[in-house]
Amino acid sequence: MSKEIETLTEDERRALRGSKFAPLPTLPHTNKPKPRLAHPGGPVTTNKAAALAKFLERKLKDPNGLTSINPD
């Protein structure tokens, strides 16, 4: 068998090596599911309003709290 392989061309050797392995099965092409969206059409909810309310409440309790706030 090794003498037979030596007489083969490079393309024939590649074909012989490739024939030793089964081809990978192909999956049937189905409708791929759409990627999931974090907020599909709805509002993005955060705790920004609650955090701002706590911040302002804390600043209002401090006598110099409002003067320390720089809007810029």
Side-chain angles (χ1 to χ4, degrees), residues 9-28:
T9 65
E10 188 64 32
D11 289 336
E12 291 171 332
R13 288 182 188 178
R14 285 186 188 142
L16 181 62
R17 278 194 303 264
S19 69
K20 292 180 182 179
F21 299 99
L24 295 174
T26 56
L27 298 175

Side-chain angles (χ1 to χ4, degrees), residues 30-51:
T30 60
N31 290 341
K32 292 185 178 181
K34 294 180 181 177
R36 292 180 55 185
L37 300 175
H39 305 284
V44 178
T45 58
T46 63
N47 63 350
K48 187 183 260 187

Side-chain angles (χ1 to χ4, degrees), residues 3 5 19 21 24 42 52 68:
K3 287 186 179 184
I5 292 176
S19 69
F21 299 99
L24 295 174
L52 179 62
S68 66

